[in-house]
Amino acid sequence: MNTLHVNVVTPDGAAYEGEARMVIAKSVTGEIGILPKHIPMVTPLDISILKLRHEDGGRTLIALSGGFMEVRPDTVTILAETAEMADKIDYDRASAAKVRAERRLQDTKISEIEFRRAELALKKAINRLSIRDMKD
């Protein structure tokens, strides 16, 4: 078999299911490429873009908000808080979220927890916006 079966699952249900020749994900320790017959492993994922390369040369891009990836020789399963297909992202909404987060980070009166939440929101918004530059 020259492909991997890929499942991307969120608390809302399946976000993606299909075949891929290669899976490229960003773990918390760096980017990792998965090919068929990879050794089994589990790794936490960072907020990043999941790249799936297909047999026909095409690719699928999915914005992830972190999560975990389980690799088996013929299957990759990703459990993520959120997963958005590139063609489903509302870029105006992501841009507005980025502006809101940047404003919150400039507020000197927010608590440490609010600051961390704003940093996380900013990272997620930037990730969602970055997928636009990767599309064909």
Side-chain angles (χ1 to χ4, degrees):
M1 180 186 297
N2 292 330
T3 62
L4 294 157
H5 187 75
V6 181
N7 294 303
V8 180
V9 183
T10 70
D12 294 329
Y16 177 87
E17 184 172 354
E19 300 296 313
R21 176 176 53 87
M22 182 177 193
V23 175
I24 303 167
K26 185 176 178 190
S27 74
V28 295
T29 57
E31 197 166 72
I32 183 170
I34 307 295
L35 294 169
K37 300 180 183 171
H38 195 285
I39 61 167
M41 63 178 272
V42 175
T43 187
L45 298 175
D46 202 357
I47 295 170
S48 60
I49 305 300
L50 176 68
K51 301 171 199 125
L52 306 175
R53 307 227 182 229
H54 302 291
E55 286 270 288
D56 64 4
R59 67 181 180 167
T60 300
L61 302 173
I62 305 172
L64 299 178
S65 62
F68 290 89
M69 178 171 65
E70 177 188 30
V71 177
R72 297 194 176 250
D74 61 350
T75 306
V76 173
T77 303
I78 294 173
L79 306 174
E81 180 184 327
T82 63
E84 290 181 273
M85 304 294 289
D87 59 347
K88 302 285 188 209
I89 294 174
D90 181 340
Y91 293 104
D92 292 334
R93 188 169 159 248
S95 185
K98 179 180 180 270
V99 169
R100 278 193 311 275
E102 288 170 336
R103 285 187 187 142
R104 290 292 289 157
L105 288 170
Q106 291 175 0
D107 184 352
T108 59
K109 297 176 184 165
I110 63 173
S111 70
E112 182 68 24
I113 291 173
E114 289 171 322
F115 185 84
R116 295 289 172 225
R117 284 183 184 152
E119 278 184 325
L120 187 59
L122 179 59
K123 190 172 182 181
K124 287 178 182 180
I126 289 170
N127 184 56
R128 292 174 69 219
L129 290 169
S130 72
I131 208 168
R132 180 174 37 190
D133 299 330
M134 300 173 117
K135 289 172 43 178
D136 301 289

